[in-house]
Amino acid sequence: MISKTDILNAKVLIVDDQDANVRLLEQMLSDAGHTCIASTMDPYEVCALYRQNRYDLILLDLQMPGMDGFQVLEGLKKIEPDGYLPVLVITAQPGHKLRALQAGAKDFVSKPFDLVEVQTRIHNMLEVRLLYKKLENYNKRLEQTVAERTAELRESEARFRRLTELASDWYWEQDENGHFTKVYGPVLEMLGITVDALLGESKGNHGAQWNEAEHAVFKANITARRPFLDFVYSRTKSDGSQQYLMVSGEPMFDSSGRFKGYRGIGKDVTDSMRGKGNS
């Protein structure tokens, strides 16, 4: 919520070509406890003053010589094309009220002033303006936090990939339907197969034959959604040589316990398995 102190410390600019009107509004605001009051009788100064000070409220007279309030509004809208334009127009012409609102003003008061009405409208507009600024600042902080967290996640993922690359030949993830969604590492080039062939699919295996018994155990683990560690299974390549793969994996679940798929790592352990066979 916006405190009374926040409202009284908000920056207010009075724009009127009549000195008596400026002094009346200044006195009214001062008597109400407002502490940051500025004024100008030159409408050509308004846009430059707003760029410099970003007032929380502008009390703008519409009928001024040389440059009227509508032209001032057009200039302010160029500074705040998408933002909240905190303008309360002052007019003695009833027909100007709707035009002013259509031009971007947020509210209006009529001359001659009803001081109670003016104070109430100023209070309400400042409260809305300060709430808007608070929301705007919150959104900026949120965007910054999201950007920082995204950068952290990307760095964490890159670090994880580097670590898994050191510990294995590839890292993989599957969705709940068994389709691979991520594969990091040179697995395709190393095996000469498509990603689907990692689970023994027939396409793209270049004539290689998986060990059916081993592969059945592997598929049973996946189907039962069990974790598995260092599971070794083999295939006979088209040249008659044996290739051994070691895989570890775990099922993934969301916060509600719904199965999301699998993730794990794999290695080509052909050399070590051949060494065991020869010893």
Side-chain angles (χ1 to χ4, degrees), residues 157 160-161 164-165 168-175 178-191 193-199 262-266:
E157 183 177 85
F160 175 72
R161 286 175 61 180
T164 54
E165 286 168 2
S168 60
D169 290 327
W170 72 85
Y171 170 82
W172 53 272
E173 287 187 13
Q174 291 177 310
D175 62 19
H179 299 134
F180 281 85
T181 57
K182 293 181 181 179
V183 178
Y184 301 140
V187 59
L188 302 184
E189 296 83 352
M190 183 178 66
L191 299 181
I193 58 176
T194 64
V195 169
D196 288 334
L198 289 176
L199 284 184
Y262 262 88
R263 63 184 171 196
I265 58 174

Side-chain angles (χ1 to χ4, degrees), residues 182-237:
K182 293 181 181 179
V183 178
Y184 301 140
V187 59
L188 302 184
E189 296 83 352
M190 183 178 66
L191 299 181
I193 58 176
T194 64
V195 169
D196 288 334
L198 289 176
L199 284 184
E201 303 292 343
S202 59
K203 62 180 180 178
N205 62 7
H206 291 253
Q209 296 294 323
W210 297 98
N211 182 298
E212 294 296 336
E214 295 168 348
H215 187 252
V217 175
F218 181 51
K219 290 284 283 187
N221 282 328
I222 296 289
T223 302
R225 299 173 183 173
R226 292 191 295 260
F228 48 90
L229 178 65
D230 295 342
F231 180 85
V232 177
Y233 65 115
S234 61
R235 68 173 188 163
T236 303
K237 299 170 67 173

Side-chain angles (χ1 to χ4, degrees), residues 56-58 60 73 77 80-89 97 99-109 121 124-126 128-129 132:
D56 298 305
L57 177 63
I58 299 174
L60 177 64
L73 277 169
K77 282 171 64 177
E80 293 279 7
D82 302 312
Y84 181 91
L85 196 60
V87 176
L88 176 65
V89 297
K97 295 175 181 177
R99 182 184 169 193
L101 293 174
Q102 292 172 335
K106 292 298 181 288
D107 203 352
F108 58 84
V109 292
R121 292 183 183 273
N124 291 344
M125 273 199 66
L126 283 173
V128 172
R129 168 62 171 172
Y132 183 89

